[in-house]
Structure formats: C-alpha cells, structure tokens
Amino acid sequence: MAGRKRKATESANQPNKMWGTSSSSSSYHHHGSTSGGARRRGGSSSSSRKEGGSSSGRASSSAIDEAAALKLFEDISDQEDPNVANMEGISTLCEQLGIDPLEDVRVLVLLWKMGAAKKPAEICKEEWMQGCNNLRVDSIDKFKALLPSLDVGFLDREDFKDFYKFCFQFNRQGTHKTLEKDLVIALLPICLSEGRVPSERLQSFCEFLETTKDESYSKITLDQWRSFLDFCYEVEDLATYDESSSAWPVLIDEYVEFMEKKAKDGKKK
Amino acid sequence: IEMADRANGNIIQLEDGWNNEIKKRAIDKLEQTLDNGFDTAFEPKEYIRIYTTCYDMCTQRSPYNWSRDLYQRHGETIEQYLQNTVLPALNDKSGQGGTILLNELKHRWTNHQIMNKWLKKFFTYLDRYYVKHHSLPTLEQAGLRHFKDVVYENVKEQATGAIISLINEERDGEIIEKSLVKSIVELYENMGLGGASLESYTNDLEQPLLDATRAYYARKREDWIAKDSTPDYLIKVEKALAEEKARVTEYLNPASEPKIRRVVEDEILQKVQMNLLEKEGSGCRVLLANDKSEDLQRMFHLFSRLDNGLQPMASIVESFITSMGNACVEKRQAKLDGGEKEKNDDPEFVKSLIDLHEKYLGVIRETFSGHHLFQKALKNSFEVVVNQDVGQYSNAELMSTFCDRVLKSGGEKLNDSEVEESLDRIVQLFSFLTDKDLFADIYRNQLAKRLLNQRSSSDDAEKLMIAKLKVQCGTQFTSKMEGMLNDLAVGNDQKSEFDARMEQHDTKLSFSVQVLTTGFWPTYKTPEVSLPANMTKCLEIFTEWHDAKHQKRKLSWVHSLGNATVKSIFGKKSYDLQVTTLQAVVLNTFNDGKTFDFNELKKILNLNDITLKPLMHSLSCGKYKVITKTPANNKINSTDSFTANAKFSSNMRKIRIPMASLDPSHNKNRVEEDRSWAIEAAIVRIMKARKTLKHQELIAEVLSQLSFFRPQPRDIKKRIEALIDRDYLERSAENSDMYNYLA
C-alpha cells in the first residue's frame, strides 16, 4: 500500500496525542468482559478500511439500528464540528466500554476496524456509520461484546501490517507526516504486544532510540516505522545482517551497529 | 658375357643374379668400403651394370620376376650388416665413456646413410613399381626402420645419457664437441616413425633432457638463492636463459626451445618469485627505494615471462609508491603539528606530490615499459594518497590554490611552457581526487577573484586550464567557468560601445561595468550602499543602455566587487589612490574636511557593521592612513570618529590601499547540498528508466553516475528514504529488497 499524499488541512484544536505524556484522561479499571453477543473476528473485511466511507443511507440492507448508532456518535462528537469525533470523544467511549484509552491497544484496533483512516486522531461520521454497519454494533453493550474480538493476535501478517501502519498514521499530529521519537518509544510496545515481535528485539530497539544522539531521528517516518516490523519478521538473527547489501533504512543499520557494540562491550566485562 | 646373354634374351636366375652380380659387385664392395672408412663412389660403369641387373631381374616375366625376393633381400642385407657388424662395434664401445660411444654411433650412422643411399640407387626400380604397387615402405624407409630396430633401440638409452652428461658439462662451463651432439640429435630426429615425426626425438631424448634440466636448475636455484642478492640472482637467470636458448639453436631441435625455456623459468624464477621480490636488503622494495632501474628492468622482463608474473611486482610497486605519498602527507601533518599556521596554501606539499607522480610516471615508462599493471598501481596508490586530507584545508583546496598561484599575476614566475607543464601536472593530480566537485567550487571562487580583480596573468592560460579540466571531466564540469570567461569577453567587446555612450554625458567620472551572469559566478552580497550623486548617475546611464539591449535581464549591482581610482589631494600633493568602490564611496564622504563618527557613517552610507568595520580599518589602520581615526588604535569601535588625514603624505604617487575581501569563501554546506541534490537526481533518473530495481543495483548505478564525488552507501540510502517519503519511490511489497518507481 503506497503512502497517499495528504492534502494540507487545518487541524482543529484537539488533544491529538492519545499516547504518551500529555493526555489528561485518568486510567480506568477494566470491567469484566461480557460474554455473548455477536463476536466479530479479526477483520479481513476490507471495506472497513476504505477512505472516506460510503454514506450511511443503507437502511434497507442494514443489520443494525442506524438511529442508535448515530446517537452514539452524536454523544461523542465534537461540539464545534458535529461531523467528527476527536480524541476527547473517543476517550468518553472508552470510559463507557471500560477500557483504558492510554494503554489499551484495543482502542486502536477498534478504530482501525471501523475505518477511521481519513484523518489522524479522529473518526468522522461516515466512517463511524460504515464501521458500525460492518461490525454490527449499535449499542454500548454490543461494543462491549466486541472487545474480545479486538485481539490482534488473530490477525495474519498482512492484515497486521495494515493495522500497524494505521497505528502510525492515526497517531500523527495534524498534517505532520512523522511521529515524535518519544511517542514512537511509547507506542511501539503497545502496538507490538503479545509476541508479534520478540520482546528482546522490541526492548533493545526502544533503548537504541532513546540513547541515540542523532538529531535526524528525533522524528520517525512511516517508512522507518513499517520497516521496523518487516525487519523483525525477516531478520531474526542479527548476526546474519549484512549492511552492505541491505535496503533497510539507515535507522536499522545504526540499530544493528548499536547492538553489535553492546555485545562487544558485554564481552569485555 | 652376361650382358651378351641378356641381349640374347637369357633369363637371369635369382641366385645367379644375386650372388654373382649384386652381392659380389654391389653389396660386398659397399660393405668393404664402409669398413675402410671412406666413401668410394661406384664408377658409372659399375653402377649402371648393377642397376641394370636389378632392373632386368625385376622386369622379367613371371615366374622369373624377382622383385619380391630382391626387396626382401635388400632388407635382409641391411639387417644382417647391422646385426653382425654395427651392433657389436657399438657394444664394444659402450662403458668407455660417453664421447667414445657417441663418436662410434656417429660413425655408424653416417655409414648407414651411405649404405642406404647406394642400396636405394641400385634397387631404385623397386621403389618405382613394386613398392608402390604393394604399398610397402620405400627402400629408404625400410633401411631406416632396420637401423632403428637393430641399432637405435639398443643404444638409445646410453646415447641419451651421454648427451645429457655433455650438456650438463657445458652448463658447468666445460667445452664440449657440439658437432658431435648435433649429429646424434639428427639421428634421433630421423628415427621418428613416418619420417617427419619427431616422436623418437621427443620421447627418447627431449623428455629425459627436460627432466635432467629441471634437476640441474633446481640444484642451482637452491645454491644461488641462499647466497645471492636478488639483482645478482636475476643476472644469473638472464644468463642461464640466454645460454639455454643458444644451446637449442646450436645443436637441438627447435621444438625443444619453448619446453626447455619453460622448465628453466619454472625452476629458477617461478618457484622463488616471492622469495626474490621480498628478499631482505635486495628485494623489489629496496630496489625501488634506491632507484635501481637496471635491476628493476631486468626483474620486469624476467617476471613478464611467467603467467601472472607481474602482478606481485606491481603490488609491491603500488604499496611502495603509496608509502612514499603517505610520507609527504605525514610531513605536512608534522608541519601543522609543529605549530605552523594553517593556510589554504601549501605549495611545498602539492609540489612534492606532483614530483612523486612525475618520477614514477617516468619509472613506469622506462623501467616497466609502460605496462598497464604498473600504470594501474600508480593510479591506485595516488587515489589513496591524494585523498588524505590533513588539517583544516582539504587537498582539493590546496590544489586549487596551487593553480591560483600559477595563474595569477605576481604568483609563480613561469614562462609559457612552464605554465602549461604545471597545469598539466596539477590536472593529473586532480584526476585522482574523489571530491572533484569541491575542487570545482573552490576553483570557481578563486577564478572569479582573479578575473574581477584583473589578477589573472594570462587569459590563454586560464582557457588552457579550463580546457584540461574539460578533457578530464566533461563539459558540464567546466560550463560555469567557461561562462565566467565568456562574460568578460562579452564585456570587452561591448566596452567601446558603452564608452561612446558615456562620452555623450558629462559625468566627470570615467566608468566601466562588468556584467556577470548569475549562476556562473559565486554568489556575492550586494550591499545597498548609498552612492554619491555622480556615481549614481553613471549607474543610471549604464542601466538605460543595458536595458535597451536586453529587456528581459535584471541587473543587481555588486558594489563590494568594484574598483576605483580616486584622485585625492592632501596638502599640496595629489595622489592616485587605487581602492575598492566601497572605499571610494567612504573617501568621498570625507571631502571638505568633514568629520563623522562610526554610527553616523553607518547611516549615511547605509552599511552594516560587518561591511563598514573592515572598510574603515583599511583606510585608517593600515599602511596608508588616509583617514584619521580617533582614538588612534588598531580596532574599529562604534564610538570612533573619523576625518580625512590632512597630514597624509607618501613618496609614491600611485597608492593601492588593500582591503580584506568581503565576498564569502566557499561554502562547504553548499557543496553538501549540491551533493544531496545530485544523488537524488541520479536516483530518480535511474528509477524512472528502470521502473523497478534491486537495492544493490541501484546503489551501484548511482555510484557509477556520480563522477565528481563518492558518497557513502549510507548517504545514498538516506536520499532513497527521503524520496520514499516524498512518494517518488516505494518499497516493493513482494520483495523488501526492491524499489518501484512511482510515476
């Protein structure tokens, strides 16, 4: 999937950073997950990822109560722009679902499945309605019932790559094309939880990011973000890494160098 | 009586003809002759008689046609003679020393040739019909065959041994009977099957000789290598090879020449090649260090005989030259470490590299016959040395300044051919530079200075240098430089036209303008200084004239570059001050004894501190203090006040008041930026053509397209990433190693 050129648009005043330091929501206890209800498995339904979504007027073939879904949206939509729900509203939804918008990856999964791809840190009305239709939800209870299915452990590699890319895109600030390094360090463990990537690799990479003094890495590009995952899939053993023939971004080359130096220093002791 | 008989048609009986005629008159006589040791020819009468007898016996009608019997008996005769007479004689002589046997063999072989000849003559008729008819060996061949089977096969081993001993004796310096050996060699040559074949020679003599040669030279090698220096050893090699070659010419078959040569080369050169090259105190490196050209030349010629014999030598030459070059670099380093002030000029260093290069160009040409491996060695070593920068200023800059010295007036004092030679040599050195684009940038700046300050000693020399760079690097590399020269040429052409225009106005100033095309020249600051009215008028005249000619061009005045001659009167004396335009503007301000302080001047002239301070410094703190500064010290402060120096005087009438130039020196960042751009342009160009490409191939293609600098692979990768970010390229979804071009 090639990166799409995003038109420069204004980003409204909203707390864009969901993860990391500045969010003001407090943490919540997890409610017990409810059983029953329609459970949706990991999404190979591609329609939920299309940009701009279709209009919500499909009453005849719809399996949900559109009015109810719409009401839910209105509860969380932004006061100044009723067509979008930003992070404030999404946090409210999370509260109701009993999940922590700061730490819980299921929020991102949900938004991804609903197809909130148009702009970072928000979901628009069309996307919401399309998403509700696809996921067959129109009430908080149904959302709650959905929670277990938001486990990305079920996804195959290709689908997960798509989700992983969404994580980056969704967390950008406005029209920026990159993420701040600190955000990346916080975000990676959340997106790549549950053994998607060997924990040692994840930890050492974050350590590398933290300690590198290279100014050019204060911002991380989408290419670097995606390459990290592909790199983890393809290069399990760092000893086999050959920089001279590698097409991996220089960030990865320097990470490997960092690890080699660490190993050498470790041996000296 | 017998002849009469035949005439009467009497048949010759076999035994009769054989015993009474042939055997008695021909064979016995022949054998006797041979025993006596001289070749008594048969008289024509005798010969004809014998011949006729044979003829008759072979042409008689059957059952009296004795062709077959005669043929058989011919062979038997020879065989018996060889068995009964020749072989015992030879066996008799064996064990008495090689020469004796060989002499006997020679004698017997000579005899056999005589015998063969006569018998052939007598029995010629058989050769004509019987032999052909029955596809049998000719008489001569049969004769040889018998000699081979009876004599040769039994004696060849001893003979070979004897010959080899003689040859080894000759190798050791003894004199031997060459003609004897030659005769025996001819015997071997003739013993080949089918006549023309050298099989016997090759197997029975040549091969043992090659083995013996190998053993001989192996011993010699061990002996020499332990005691001799490399040059002495090689002299011996040369001598040995010459001797062996002469030997073949004198008494061996030519086919042996290459074989013997290869054996000798193998034993005394190939097997000790590295030993010779690396011998302590006399190996290749030592010879180079001591300029032993004769020894090196010998070494070169000898090693060129071997397969891949020159590469090890070329490697040593390369390493040697590199170390010599590194020594020059280290010397420069030591100078700087010793506290010498860093300048962008180090002619000693540059010259030392040039001299080193010239020296070894000559060595390669004369000592190594210009061989390509050595040319490559020189190139490789200089590519390493020339790119070792030491200190603040890169070698690219030092080399450009070196050119500046040659090209500017008041620099090196050289005649035309010396100039050409210097430029030629610096361009050769330049060819090894990796950062050619850096050189170009600095060179352009220095060229601009020369041209604009009229400090170039010769227009032709400038053109010559640019032409040489063009040959090295192509048109694109020199296009800006040529543009600069062209601007000046155009200016010159149009000068008289503009001068005529100036005359129409009365400005009291003589004024000329040089128009520079943006992009060719370095970028200069254009301070918007407030000019006096008369100068402004001149500008207006020019602008009007210029705009009429070129409507689409826009002029920006670069006052920081101009020059002026200011006629000034101090007291009663008048002087011509040669100053920059800005200095002239300042001086003009102080007419009529006015006094200004620094800040006032800033306002009046509309100049900032950075520009005004050095200006005032040059006029009030330098050698010619035409402006008096209060307080009088060497630093310009914003509280200083200035006025014309009424007491100024000098012996000279024409005075040049220098000033530190205000234009920027070369911008390293700009070179870096240009490089990033060039890399990206190359990537896009390549990907556009290829649509999809593997990473390593892309890197290789990019490197091959960039001729004026050599980026690190990581830098290229960073540009690739930047292009991915800007959606020019994408990584292939199927293969993480490949890129796709995004249209």
Side-chain angles (χ1 to χ4, degrees):
Chain A
M1 287 195 168
R4 286 166 287 223
K5 289 189 169 91
R6 294 191 187 271
K7 293 203 192 115
T9 48
E10 291 291 337
S11 58
N13 279 347
Q14 6 178 320
N16 284 324
K17 276 198 198 156
M18 186 171 163
W19 314 100
T21 48
S22 57
S23 172
S24 54
S25 324
S26 48
S27 58
Y28 280 79
H29 299 295
H30 285 278
H31 291 223
S33 55
T34 54
S35 60
R39 285 164 125 251
R40 291 284 152 223
R41 285 258 153 179
S44 349
S45 51
S46 49
S47 55
S48 64
R49 293 178 222 140
K50 284 217 175 76
E51 227 188 352
S54 48
S55 71
S56 42
R58 290 201 292 152
S60 51
S61 58
S62 170
I64 60 163
D65 180 353
E66 299 246 328
L70 191 54
K71 176 76 173 53
L72 280 178
F73 184 76
E74 281 161 9
D75 287 345
I76 62 171
S77 64
D78 184 36
Q79 284 173 345
E80 286 168 35
D81 182 357
N83 275 319
V84 302
N86 56 30
M87 288 323 293
E88 217 184 291
I90 291 170
S91 295
T92 311
L93 177 64
C94 290
E95 259 179 73
Q96 295 175 304
L97 297 181
I99 58 177
D100 181 349
L102 281 180
E103 300 288 322
D104 200 324
V105 70
R106 290 178 290 183
V107 182
L108 281 173
V109 182
L110 178 63
L111 289 165
W112 169 61
K113 287 199 178 185
M114 293 187 79
K118 197 155 73 172
K119 280 202 203 165
E122 65 181 43
I123 178 167
C124 69
K125 197 196 289 185
E126 287 86 9
E127 289 168 340
W128 173 270
M129 292 311 292
Q130 178 78 42
C132 286
N133 264 301
N134 290 340
L135 297 175
R136 306 274 208 270
V137 289
D138 52 28
S139 70
I140 291 297
D141 283 338
K142 285 195 185 162
F143 268 105
K144 283 189 187 174
L146 208 49
L147 286 176
S149 74
L150 300 180
D151 183 347
V152 290
F154 296 130
L155 294 179
D156 67 18
R157 274 195 180 182
E158 285 309 306
D159 290 332
F160 183 79
K161 273 192 198 180
D162 194 70
F163 165 68
Y164 175 72
K165 179 180 169 192
F166 173 82
C167 290
F168 182 95
Q169 300 288 52
F170 192 78
N171 277 286
R172 292 172 303 135
Q173 210 165 334
T175 56
H176 291 190
K177 290 175 81 175
T178 57
L179 293 184
E180 301 276 326
K181 184 169 75 167
D182 289 335
L183 177 54
V184 168
I185 292 172
L187 190 53
L188 274 178
I190 294 172
C191 300
L192 296 178
S193 57
E194 288 161 58
R196 267 290 155 176
V197 152
S199 65
E200 197 257 303
R201 177 68 60 90
L202 183 55
Q203 263 178 317
S204 58
F205 186 70
C206 289
E207 188 190 330
F208 162 69
L209 285 178
E210 274 180 69
T211 55
T212 183
K213 296 200 175 42
D214 193 328
E215 285 292 309
S216 59
Y217 298 140
S218 60
K219 299 210 193 300
I220 304 294
T221 65
L222 175 60
D223 182 44
Q224 288 166 325
W225 172 269
R226 290 165 84 185
S227 296
F228 175 67
L229 179 63
D230 291 336
F231 168 71
C232 290
Y233 283 156
E234 282 187 42
V235 182
E236 286 179 12
D237 180 6
L238 290 186
T240 64
Y241 189 81
D242 175 20
E243 183 181 337
S244 61
S245 61
S246 95
W248 300 111
V250 178
L251 177 67
I252 305 284
D253 293 336
E254 296 199 6
Y255 163 68
V256 174
E257 217 174 74
F258 167 82
M259 292 299 281
E260 283 171 5
K261 188 166 181 298
K262 234 174 90 159
K264 238 196 256 176
D265 290 342
K267 278 195 197 141
K268 278 188 199 158
K269 289 176 189 158
Chain B
I1 308 165
E2 286 88 359
M3 286 194 72
D5 269 340
R6 268 195 294 271
N8 292 336
N10 279 358
I11 302 292
I12 308 172
Q13 297 295 334
L14 175 60
E15 296 304 335
D16 184 32
W18 180 261
N19 289 321
N20 295 333
E21 286 294 321
I22 295 175
K23 188 162 188 326
K24 193 162 84 176
R25 294 181 191 277
I27 291 170
D28 288 344
K29 180 161 181 197
L30 184 55
E31 290 184 6
Q32 205 171 18
T33 308
L34 295 177
D35 284 341
N36 291 341
F38 45 89
D39 182 4
T40 323
F42 287 81
E43 291 189 17
K45 232 175 34 177
E46 294 173 75
Y47 165 69
I48 287 175
R49 187 181 167 132
I50 301 164
Y51 173 82
T52 311
T53 309
C54 282
Y55 178 86
D56 288 341
M57 287 172 83
C58 292
T59 51
Q60 284 172 167
R61 288 252 174 84
S62 168
Y64 302 110
N65 187 309
W66 308 121
S67 299
R68 195 181 75 149
D69 299 90
L70 286 187
Y71 184 82
Q72 237 174 306
R73 288 183 188 205
H74 165 269
E76 284 163 6
T77 304
I78 294 179
E79 199 176 333
Q80 278 162 24
Y81 178 71
L82 293 175
Q83 284 282 12
N84 301 334
T85 310
V86 175
L87 196 51
L90 282 169
N91 286 334
D92 198 41
K93 296 284 194 288
S94 72
Q96 290 184 40
T99 323
I100 295 181
L101 173 67
L102 290 178
N103 272 313
E104 183 64 30
L105 183 56
K106 176 179 177 176
H107 171 60
R108 294 296 164 184
W109 165 243
T110 312
N111 279 1
H112 179 74
Q113 287 171 305
I114 296 171
M115 179 182 226
N116 227 16
K117 173 183 88 177
W118 282 111
L119 288 180
K120 178 184 155 146
K121 278 169 113 135
F122 297 147
F123 292 102
T124 293
Y125 195 74
L126 284 172
D127 260 347
R128 250 183 236 148
Y129 295 106
Y130 180 71
V131 160
K132 286 204 177 124
H133 199 259
H134 290 85
S135 300
L136 288 165
T138 65
L139 297 171
E140 185 173 353
Q141 284 168 352
L144 280 177
R145 178 93 232 189
H146 287 299
F147 189 87
K148 179 171 184 192
D149 291 343
V150 176
V151 175
Y152 174 79
E153 290 297 330
N154 284 315
V155 110
K156 69 183 183 183
E157 253 177 69
Q158 285 181 69
T160 299
I163 291 176
I164 289 179
S165 296
L166 284 176
I167 289 179
N168 278 346
E169 271 173 45
E170 191 181 48
R171 284 171 176 159
D172 283 336
E174 310 267 347
I175 313 261
I176 63 168
E177 277 182 68
K178 295 187 214 201
S179 57
L180 171 60
V181 178
K182 193 170 167 73
S183 308
I184 305 297
V185 166
E186 275 166 17
L187 164 61
Y188 281 83
E189 284 169 341
N190 280 296
M191 291 289 98
L193 299 168
S197 158
L198 278 181
E199 199 180 320
S200 297
Y201 171 83
T202 308
N203 295 341
D204 300 329
L205 179 57
E206 190 184 68
Q207 190 54 55
L209 175 58
L210 289 174
D211 294 337
T213 305
R214 190 175 280 282
Y216 178 84
Y217 281 106
R219 274 197 317 275
K220 284 290 164 191
R221 172 190 72 232
E222 294 306 312
D223 189 33
W224 296 342
I225 201 77
K227 291 185 253 159
D228 292 326
S229 69
T230 294
D232 288 343
Y233 183 100
L234 291 176
I235 290 174
K236 290 185 180 164
V237 170
E238 210 175 40
K239 187 157 164 278
L241 286 168
E243 278 174 14
E244 292 300 326
K245 188 170 167 141
R247 176 165 299 114
V248 173
T249 314
E250 282 177 73
Y251 51 76
L252 295 174
N253 186 288
S256 299
E257 198 271 320
K259 297 180 198 177
I260 292 181
R261 172 163 48 86
R262 255 176 255 129
V263 165
V264 177
E265 284 169 358
D266 192 44
E267 287 300 316
I268 61 177
L269 272 182
Q270 182 76 63
K271 290 192 174 167
V272 282
Q273 182 182 25
M274 291 319 289
N275 190 323
L276 290 168
L277 284 173
E278 291 168 358
K279 203 178 248 272
E280 200 171 316
S282 67
C284 184
R285 239 191 136 84
V286 174
L287 297 177
L288 284 167
N290 292 302
D291 296 321
K292 296 282 186 196
S293 47
E294 200 186 297
D295 292 325
L296 287 166
Q297 204 171 16
R298 179 173 299 112
M299 183 186 270
F300 170 77
H301 283 299
L302 288 175
F303 283 135
S304 20
R305 289 160 170 264
L306 306 175
D307 285 337
N308 193 30
L310 291 175
Q311 184 55 63
M313 198 175 165
S315 298
I316 294 181
V317 169
E318 183 177 324
S319 140
F320 177 77
I321 298 177
T322 308
S323 67
M324 296 290 282
N326 284 342
C328 295
V329 175
E330 278 155 32
K331 198 165 163 203
R332 171 170 155 77
Q333 176 78 68
K335 265 192 326 198
L336 297 177
D337 288 344
E340 187 172 296
K341 183 161 178 246
E342 280 238 48
K343 293 180 287 183
N344 71 346
D345 189 21
D346 192 347
E348 199 184 302
F349 170 67
V350 176
K351 192 143 198 315
S352 71
L353 289 182
I354 288 179
D355 290 343
L356 184 68
H357 186 255
E358 273 306 299
K359 176 175 176 182
Y360 285 97
L361 262 186
V363 166
I364 288 168
R365 197 174 45 237
E366 275 141 35
T367 310
F368 301 128
S369 305
H371 192 277
H372 68 89
L373 277 181
F374 292 85
Q375 285 180 359
K376 186 115 210 317
L378 182 64
K379 179 170 183 277
N380 290 348
S381 69
F382 265 80
E383 276 175 358
V384 167
V385 171
V386 163
N387 291 301
Q388 291 203 64
D389 292 335
V390 159
Q392 198 186 340
Y393 296 100
S394 64
N395 289 347
E397 183 149 7
L398 299 180
M399 280 161 47
S400 181
T401 310
F402 188 89
C403 294
D404 191 53
R405 269 176 174 256
V406 171
L407 291 166
K408 75 180 179 195
S409 51
E412 304 277 346
K413 294 216 174 1
L414 304 167
N415 65 35
D416 282 351
S417 65
E418 283 170 334
V419 165
E420 166 135 32
E421 195 182 78
S422 285
L423 294 180
D424 222 15
R425 290 186 182 167
I426 195 73
V427 170
Q428 276 179 2
L429 210 60
F430 161 82
S431 70
F432 301 119
L433 207 54
T434 310
D435 292 340
K436 291 189 170 79
D437 57 348
L438 191 59
F439 176 93
D441 198 61
I442 299 170
Y443 187 85
R444 274 200 303 273
N445 283 352
Q446 290 175 335
L447 174 64
K449 254 197 197 154
R450 288 196 296 275
L451 294 177
L452 295 177
N453 296 330
Q454 278 120 28
R455 285 255 147 43
S456 169
S457 79
S458 147
D459 205 40
D460 284 340
E462 296 287 355
K463 287 194 182 131
L464 188 64
M465 179 64 185
I466 292 173
K468 288 184 196 293
L469 288 174
K470 199 163 159 181
V471 166
Q472 268 288 336
C473 299
T475 323
Q476 204 190 1
F477 192 76
T478 51
S479 58
K480 286 185 190 169
M481 300 171 199
E482 288 185 316
M484 287 159 77
L485 286 185
N486 194 51
D487 278 347
L488 291 194
V490 165
N492 273 339
D493 287 345
Q494 300 190 335
K495 187 170 174 356
S496 47
E497 197 187 315
F498 179 65
D499 283 349
R501 173 65 66 91
M502 275 298 285
E503 273 179 25
Q504 293 169 10
H505 301 263
D506 179 27
T507 58
K508 300 202 184 74
L509 289 180
S510 133
F511 173 68
S512 67
V513 177
Q514 176 58 53
V515 179
L516 311 178
T517 310
T518 316
F520 292 160
W521 299 78
T523 37
Y524 299 102
K525 299 198 192 95
T526 52
E528 294 210 24
V529 61
S530 300
L531 297 173
N534 52 0
M535 287 170 94
T536 309
K537 180 92 170 73
C538 294
L539 261 57
E540 282 169 6
I541 298 171
F542 182 82
T543 309
E544 198 190 312
W545 176 79
H546 173 272
D547 289 351
K549 268 178 173 288
H550 311 281
Q551 284 96 0
K552 293 209 180 129
R553 293 190 192 170
K554 182 171 172 297
L555 291 175
S556 305
W557 294 95
V558 187
H559 295 299
S560 51
L561 291 178
N563 292 310
T565 306
V566 175
K567 185 164 175 210
S568 48
I569 301 172
F570 290 88
K572 294 230 173 78
K573 279 179 87 176
S574 86
Y575 302 91
D576 284 338
L577 303 177
Q578 278 158 341
V579 292
T580 65
T581 303
L582 291 178
Q583 284 171 316
V585 171
V586 169
L587 287 173
N588 187 64
T589 324
F590 288 102
N591 268 330
D592 306 319
K594 299 207 183 91
T595 303
F596 297 103
D597 66 33
F598 187 81
N599 289 325
E600 285 176 304
L601 280 173
K602 270 175 76 173
K603 276 214 194 96
I604 297 169
L605 298 173
N606 190 33
L607 291 174
N608 59 22
D609 277 22
I610 301 174
T611 314
L612 188 55
K613 278 195 178 171
L615 254 181
M616 297 316 299
H617 191 278
S618 68
L619 296 169
S620 63
C621 309
K623 187 173 173 190
Y624 303 104
K625 297 182 172 59
V626 289
I627 299 287
T628 307
K629 180 171 99 79
T630 315
N633 54 31
N634 224 22
K635 198 165 179 293
I636 306 291
N637 291 309
S638 47
T639 48
D640 291 344
S641 85
F642 303 90
T643 191
N645 181 2
K647 296 209 189 81
F648 176 78
S649 88
S650 166
N651 291 332
M652 304 204 291
R653 200 202 140 91
K654 275 200 177 136
I655 301 172
R656 195 176 144 253
I657 306 185
M659 190 181 115
S661 58
L662 299 171
D663 50 351
S665 51
H666 93 94
N667 189 346
K668 234 179 177 172
N669 283 337
R670 198 184 49 231
V671 173
E672 288 298 328
E673 277 170 31
D674 286 347
R675 285 182 177 181
S676 286
W677 184 88
I679 297 174
E680 286 192 8
I683 295 172
V684 171
R685 209 164 39 234
I686 294 165
M687 289 305 297
K688 191 169 178 183
R690 308 284 287 270
K691 302 295 183 220
T692 174
L693 199 55
K694 273 188 78 161
H695 172 79
Q696 275 183 290
E697 286 173 29
L698 178 58
I699 298 282
E701 288 265 359
V702 168
L703 285 173
S704 77
Q705 281 202 15
L706 298 173
S707 28
F708 303 138
F709 64 99
R710 194 167 181 83
Q712 294 298 316
R714 268 198 192 173
D715 293 331
I716 302 180
K717 257 212 243 191
K718 287 200 171 151
R719 294 294 105 218
I720 294 175
E721 288 182 56
L723 289 170
I724 291 176
D725 204 45
R726 280 148 48 203
D727 294 318
Y728 280 88
L729 311 177
E730 64 176 7
R731 294 181 191 274
S732 157
E734 291 87 34
N735 188 342
S736 63
D737 223 18
M738 292 190 69
Y739 304 104
N740 297 332
Y741 179 71
L742 293 173

